[in-house]
PDB file of all heavy atoms in Angstrom:
ATOM      1  N   ASP A 777      -2.135  -5.175  -5.707  1.00 94.00           N
ATOM      2  CA  ASP A 777      -1.332  -6.354  -5.544  1.00 94.00           C
ATOM      3  C   ASP A 777      -2.123  -7.464  -5.027  1.00 94.00           C
ATOM      4  O   ASP A 777      -3.096  -7.234  -4.110  1.00 94.00           O
ATOM      5  CB  ASP A 777      -0.172  -6.043  -4.796  1.00 94.00           C
ATOM      6  CG  ASP A 777       0.740  -5.016  -5.345  1.00 94.00           C
ATOM      7  OD1 ASP A 777       0.711  -4.717  -6.629  1.00 94.00           O
ATOM      8  OD2 ASP A 777       1.643  -4.530  -4.636  1.00 94.00           O
ATOM      9  N   ALA A 778      -1.820  -8.676  -5.308  1.00 93.00           N
ATOM     10  CA  ALA A 778      -2.425  -9.846  -4.745  1.00 93.00           C
ATOM     11  C   ALA A 778      -1.550 -10.908  -4.598  1.00 93.00           C
ATOM     12  O   ALA A 778      -0.631 -11.173  -5.328  1.00 93.00           O
ATOM     13  CB  ALA A 778      -3.630 -10.383  -5.737  1.00 93.00           C
ATOM     14  N   VAL A 779      -1.634 -11.453  -3.358  1.00 93.00           N
ATOM     15  CA  VAL A 779      -0.956 -12.824  -2.966  1.00 93.00           C
ATOM     16  C   VAL A 779      -1.929 -13.883  -2.626  1.00 93.00           C
ATOM     17  O   VAL A 779      -2.690 -13.773  -1.803  1.00 93.00           O
ATOM     18  CB  VAL A 779      -0.004 -12.583  -1.761  1.00 93.00           C
ATOM     19  CG1 VAL A 779       0.746 -13.861  -1.448  1.00 93.00           C
ATOM     20  CG2 VAL A 779       0.914 -11.420  -2.052  1.00 93.00           C
ATOM     21  N   ILE A 780      -1.840 -14.978  -3.487  1.00 91.00           N
ATOM     22  CA  ILE A 780      -2.789 -15.981  -3.325  1.00 91.00           C
ATOM     23  C   ILE A 780      -2.186 -17.479  -3.215  1.00 91.00           C
ATOM     24  O   ILE A 780      -1.047 -17.643  -3.460  1.00 91.00           O
ATOM     25  CB  ILE A 780      -3.713 -16.045  -4.653  1.00 91.00           C
ATOM     26  CG1 ILE A 780      -2.936 -16.412  -5.935  1.00 91.00           C
ATOM     27  CG2 ILE A 780      -4.500 -14.838  -4.813  1.00 91.00           C
ATOM     28  CD1 ILE A 780      -3.745 -16.601  -7.132  1.00 91.00           C
ATOM     29  N   SER A 781      -2.996 -18.404  -2.733  1.00 89.00           N
ATOM     30  CA  SER A 781      -2.586 -19.746  -2.590  1.00 89.00           C
ATOM     31  C   SER A 781      -2.745 -20.414  -4.207  1.00 89.00           C
ATOM     32  O   SER A 781      -3.310 -19.850  -4.949  1.00 89.00           O
ATOM     33  CB  SER A 781      -3.254 -20.554  -1.636  1.00 89.00           C
ATOM     34  OG  SER A 781      -4.683 -20.608  -2.042  1.00 89.00           O
ATOM     35  N   ARG A 782      -2.047 -21.510  -4.155  1.00 84.00           N
ATOM     36  CA  ARG A 782      -2.025 -22.209  -5.593  1.00 84.00           C
ATOM     37  C   ARG A 782      -3.431 -22.606  -5.945  1.00 84.00           C
ATOM     38  O   ARG A 782      -3.735 -22.684  -7.099  1.00 84.00           O
ATOM     39  CB  ARG A 782      -1.023 -23.448  -5.505  1.00 84.00           C
ATOM     40  CG  ARG A 782       0.363 -23.083  -5.511  1.00 84.00           C
ATOM     41  CD  ARG A 782       1.226 -24.373  -5.284  1.00 84.00           C
ATOM     42  NE  ARG A 782       2.672 -23.989  -5.085  1.00 84.00           N
ATOM     43  CZ  ARG A 782       3.500 -23.812  -5.951  1.00 84.00           C
ATOM     44  NH1 ARG A 782       3.137 -23.827  -7.220  1.00 84.00           N
ATOM     45  NH2 ARG A 782       4.811 -23.517  -5.677  1.00 84.00           N
ATOM     46  N   GLU A 783      -4.285 -23.010  -4.977  1.00 80.00           N
ATOM     47  CA  GLU A 783      -5.658 -23.423  -5.333  1.00 80.00           C
ATOM     48  C   GLU A 783      -6.703 -22.288  -5.176  1.00 80.00           C
ATOM     49  O   GLU A 783      -7.777 -22.636  -4.903  1.00 80.00           O
ATOM     50  CB  GLU A 783      -5.929 -24.653  -4.374  1.00 80.00           C
ATOM     51  CG  GLU A 783      -4.980 -25.767  -4.505  1.00 80.00           C
ATOM     52  CD  GLU A 783      -4.941 -26.431  -5.996  1.00 80.00           C
ATOM     53  OE1 GLU A 783      -6.082 -26.502  -6.517  1.00 80.00           O
ATOM     54  OE2 GLU A 783      -3.863 -26.637  -6.356  1.00 80.00           O
ATOM     55  N   GLN A 784      -6.306 -21.142  -5.552  1.00 86.00           N
ATOM     56  CA  GLN A 784      -7.230 -20.087  -5.271  1.00 86.00           C
ATOM     57  C   GLN A 784      -7.425 -19.221  -6.541  1.00 86.00           C
ATOM     58  O   GLN A 784      -6.406 -18.909  -7.282  1.00 86.00           O
ATOM     59  CB  GLN A 784      -6.659 -19.099  -4.160  1.00 86.00           C
ATOM     60  CG  GLN A 784      -7.508 -17.903  -3.813  1.00 86.00           C
ATOM     61  CD  GLN A 784      -6.947 -17.058  -2.740  1.00 86.00           C
ATOM     62  OE1 GLN A 784      -6.048 -17.425  -2.291  1.00 86.00           O
ATOM     63  NE2 GLN A 784      -7.453 -15.889  -2.570  1.00 86.00           N
ATOM     64  N   ASN A 785      -8.689 -18.878  -7.003  1.00 89.00           N
ATOM     65  CA  ASN A 785      -8.936 -17.982  -8.137  1.00 89.00           C
ATOM     66  C   ASN A 785      -8.467 -16.614  -7.642  1.00 89.00           C
ATOM     67  O   ASN A 785      -8.531 -16.225  -6.501  1.00 89.00           O
ATOM     68  CB  ASN A 785     -10.229 -18.042  -8.542  1.00 89.00           C
ATOM     69  CG  ASN A 785     -10.635 -19.531  -8.978  1.00 89.00           C
ATOM     70  OD1 ASN A 785      -9.928 -20.186  -9.641  1.00 89.00           O
ATOM     71  ND2 ASN A 785     -11.916 -19.746  -8.772  1.00 89.00           N
ATOM     72  N   VAL A 786      -8.270 -15.742  -8.650  1.00 92.00           N
ATOM     73  CA  VAL A 786      -7.924 -14.399  -8.278  1.00 92.00           C
ATOM     74  C   VAL A 786      -8.750 -13.395  -9.292  1.00 92.00           C
ATOM     75  O   VAL A 786      -8.810 -13.744 -10.400  1.00 92.00           O
ATOM     76  CB  VAL A 786      -6.454 -14.054  -8.272  1.00 92.00           C
ATOM     77  CG1 VAL A 786      -5.814 -14.309  -9.738  1.00 92.00           C
ATOM     78  CG2 VAL A 786      -6.100 -12.626  -7.841  1.00 92.00           C
ATOM     79  N   VAL A 787      -9.005 -12.329  -8.746  1.00 94.00           N
ATOM     80  CA  VAL A 787      -9.656 -11.283  -9.528  1.00 94.00           C
ATOM     81  C   VAL A 787      -9.021  -9.943  -9.332  1.00 94.00           C
ATOM     82  O   VAL A 787      -8.856  -9.535  -8.140  1.00 94.00           O
ATOM     83  CB  VAL A 787     -11.223 -11.092  -9.149  1.00 94.00           C
ATOM     84  CG1 VAL A 787     -11.887  -9.993 -10.019  1.00 94.00           C
ATOM     85  CG2 VAL A 787     -12.029 -12.294  -9.361  1.00 94.00           C
ATOM     86  N   LEU A 788      -8.486  -9.469 -10.432  1.00 96.00           N
ATOM     87  CA  LEU A 788      -7.880  -8.125 -10.316  1.00 96.00           C
ATOM     88  C   LEU A 788      -8.865  -7.052 -11.007  1.00 96.00           C
ATOM     89  O   LEU A 788      -9.301  -7.119 -12.133  1.00 96.00           O
ATOM     90  CB  LEU A 788      -6.487  -8.080 -11.205  1.00 96.00           C
ATOM     91  CG  LEU A 788      -5.475  -9.073 -10.866  1.00 96.00           C
ATOM     92  CD1 LEU A 788      -4.271  -8.989 -11.742  1.00 96.00           C
ATOM     93  CD2 LEU A 788      -5.084  -8.800  -9.378  1.00 96.00           C
ATOM     94  N   LYS A 789      -9.175  -6.106 -10.197  1.00 96.00           N
ATOM     95  CA  LYS A 789     -10.102  -5.067 -10.581  1.00 96.00           C
ATOM     96  C   LYS A 789      -9.471  -3.809 -11.220  1.00 96.00           C
ATOM     97  O   LYS A 789      -8.409  -3.375 -10.935  1.00 96.00           O
ATOM     98  CB  LYS A 789     -10.992  -4.548  -9.437  1.00 96.00           C
ATOM     99  CG  LYS A 789     -11.808  -5.615  -8.712  1.00 96.00           C
ATOM    100  CD  LYS A 789     -12.609  -5.128  -7.630  1.00 96.00           C
ATOM    101  CE  LYS A 789     -13.659  -6.117  -7.030  1.00 96.00           C
ATOM    102  NZ  LYS A 789     -14.375  -5.623  -5.995  1.00 96.00           N
ATOM    103  N   CYS A 790     -10.206  -3.356 -12.314  1.00 93.00           N
ATOM    104  CA  CYS A 790      -9.724  -2.196 -12.989  1.00 93.00           C
ATOM    105  C   CYS A 790     -11.013  -1.292 -13.017  1.00 93.00           C
ATOM    106  O   CYS A 790     -11.910  -1.418 -13.846  1.00 93.00           O
ATOM    107  CB  CYS A 790      -9.398  -2.557 -14.502  1.00 93.00           C
ATOM    108  SG  CYS A 790      -8.794  -1.082 -15.331  1.00 93.00           S
TER     109      CYS A 790
END
Side-chain angles (χ1 to χ4, degrees):
D777 296 341
V779 180
I780 61 170
S781 63
R782 293 179 185 271
E783 299 302 317
Q784 182 180 352
N785 298 325
V786 62
V787 177
L788 299 179
K789 294 184 178 181
C790 182

